[in-house]
Amino acid sequence: MSTQLKFASLFENDTKFVYVGPEWVAYEDSEEPNSSLANRKNTVVCLPGLGDCRQQYRFLVHKFVDAGYRVLALDLRGLGESSTGFKSFQVEDIVSDVIAILEKEEISYPVTILGHSISAAVAVHLASKYPERIKNIVAIGGLFRPMMLGMNAVIFKDLHIRSSILINCTKDSAFIHLRFLFFTNLWGASAWLGYFKSMFKKPPSDLPEYCEIDEYHLNEDKKRIKAISALLVLGSAKKDVSLEKIRNIKCSVLLLIGSDDPNFKNPQNEINTIVDAFNERKLENQIHKFLVSGAGHYPHVEFPEEVFTNIQAFISYNNNIIQIDTQI
């Protein structure tokens, strides 16, 4: 009988859960129960990207804790330790999950949101709907527009299927329907992992083990594969509403994109396009960008020290601005 595979916890504390009807969203909290530091105002909330779990932040979270931050890291509904019975996977659903966690932890002060990939769009929606709850957004490899992925070629190559069948299908709404061909119970795990592994330009040393555990969990409960399929809609043509939300938010934003992110035809142009959208808000000193040289879609996994240094500098800079404004 095979040994059950499980991702290591980020912290020594037990996993926490917030319930949404009969379902639950799992998260970890760096603070000890009843800690006198639990009300600190420097809180970072980490949202993983498509198909992944909170452990993608394994190289970052302790750097934040050591620097004096409280960290909350969650699993998206249907993935990780979150339950798999959810019926809806809209951006608004994930926004509600985050707010539910903040309310359960009695965190009323503004927090910094780290959103990877599709979760960067979630962060924008959060800041648009709850401006009083969000102080900063850090978008890592943020997908704010319809995905221009090479996902079709990657998946089909892994499955030995001709990619010409659906060339450019990710550029329009057709992919919303065709995604069910990719993420079936038969080859869904293989399809996802083929794509996932292709997103790294400098893979971490633990990637083979990480993928082995991920594959085990996807096959253990096939509803996790369905969750990935459902969450792909957030990266489809409907997600460009995030560009409209960008124009409504007032918090500070840091855009981090890998210079070799395969999700973008030209990462430099992509980050400039998003910066232009943010600049339409006509707010000064609110938008910052950083192109992580040599990184793919997971710069926080590939170059954690460099990414953390930039995030910490961004947060510290904006905290100083807020303090100056308060004093004035």
Side-chain angles (χ1 to χ4, degrees):
M1 184 175 180
S2 61
T3 303
Q4 183 176 9
L5 298 176
K6 183 178 180 180
F7 285 113
S9 298
L10 296 174
F11 310 112
E12 294 182 357
N13 304 331
D14 293 335
T15 301
K16 296 183 177 182
F17 304 92
V18 63
Y19 286 84
V20 183
E23 305 301 322
W24 62 85
V25 172
Y27 67 100
E28 286 188 66
D29 185 353
S30 65
E31 293 294 358
E32 295 289 342
N34 303 317
S35 170
S36 59
L37 298 177
N39 292 321
R40 70 174 67 173
K41 294 186 176 181
N42 289 324
T43 295
V44 174
V45 180
C46 300
L47 307 181
L50 172 68
D52 212 342
C53 56
R54 63 185 188 266
Q55 277 76 13
Q56 71 164 234
Y57 289 101
R58 61 196 181 279
F59 301 128
L60 274 190
V61 291
H62 289 284
K63 295 181 185 298
F64 280 110
V65 172
D66 291 343
Y69 295 87
R70 179 183 184 180
V71 178
L72 300 173
L74 63 100
D75 289 326
L76 300 183
R77 48 177 59 193
L79 297 169
E81 288 189 88
S82 293
S83 63
T84 59
F86 288 99
K87 304 300 182 184
S88 181
F89 296 86
Q90 301 300 314
V91 170
E92 293 77 9
D93 298 322
I94 303 176
V95 167
S96 296
D97 295 342
V98 174
I99 294 300
I101 290 173
L102 294 180
E103 291 182 348
K104 179 180 178 181
E105 296 298 329
E106 299 182 345
I107 298 175
S108 58
Y109 45 82
V111 301
T112 294
I113 299 288
L114 268 62
H116 174 247
S117 194
I118 61 170
S119 286
V122 173
V124 167
H125 282 252
L126 267 165
S128 176
K129 187 173 183 179
Y130 300 97
E132 74 283 359
R133 307 297 292 266
I134 310 301
K135 178 166 54 177
N136 303 300
I137 291 175
V138 178
I140 305 174
L143 296 174
F144 297 102
R145 303 190 293 163
M147 284 195 295
M148 305 295 281
L149 298 179
M151 180 181 283
N152 51 349
V154 172
I155 289 175
F156 288 142
K157 180 180 179 182
D158 192 59
L159 296 175
H160 307 290
I161 301 175
R162 288 180 61 85
S163 63
S164 58
I165 297 174
L166 292 173
I167 290 295
N168 294 329
C169 71
T170 57
K171 295 182 181 179
D172 54 43
S173 59
F175 189 68
I176 298 176
H177 307 287
L178 295 171
R179 72 189 191 278
F180 294 111
L181 296 176
F182 304 151
F183 297 101
T184 69
N185 290 347
L186 294 177
W187 55 68
S190 177
W192 163 250
L193 289 171
Y195 166 70
F196 175 71
K197 288 185 284 189
S198 76
M199 292 294 101
F200 294 89
K201 291 303 176 182
K202 184 188 176 187
S205 60
D206 67 347
L207 187 61
E209 178 185 1
Y210 193 93
C211 289
E212 181 183 7
I213 298 173
D214 197 16
E215 182 175 21
Y216 173 86
H217 281 276
L218 290 175
N219 287 321
E220 178 190 38
D221 188 338
K222 300 295 186 180
K223 290 182 180 179
R224 292 191 176 107
I225 297 173
K226 291 183 178 180
I228 294 176
S229 177
L231 286 166
L232 273 170
V233 176
L234 302 187
S236 71
K238 292 184 178 180
K239 184 169 53 56
D240 57 356
V241 297
S242 296
L243 287 178
E244 296 301 321
K245 296 290 184 181
I246 282 174
R247 300 180 178 96
N248 298 329
I249 68 174
K250 298 181 179 179
C251 68
S252 300
V253 180
L254 171 63
L255 301 175
L256 286 166
I257 292 182
S259 66
D260 297 309
D261 190 331
N263 273 329
F264 309 111
K265 184 176 181 180
N266 187 317
Q268 180 67 67
N269 288 347
E270 180 66 19
I271 198 171
N272 289 337
T273 297
I274 303 304
V275 166
D276 289 342
F278 274 105
N279 282 339
E280 289 185 17
R281 302 175 305 162
K282 301 186 184 303
L283 298 175
E284 296 181 0
N285 300 322
Q286 293 281 323
I287 179 71
H288 306 259
K289 64 179 180 179
F290 185 72
L291 199 68
V292 185
S293 180
H297 191 52
Y298 290 80
H300 56 306
V301 178
E302 299 168 82
F303 297 94
E305 190 66 45
E306 185 175 356
V307 167
F308 172 74
T309 298
N310 279 274
I311 294 175
Q312 186 181 33
F314 162 73
I315 294 175
S316 298
Y317 172 80
N318 287 295
N319 283 348
N320 290 335
I321 293 296
I322 292 172
Q323 290 173 4
I324 292 173
D325 288 345
T326 302
Q327 291 173 0
I328 293 176

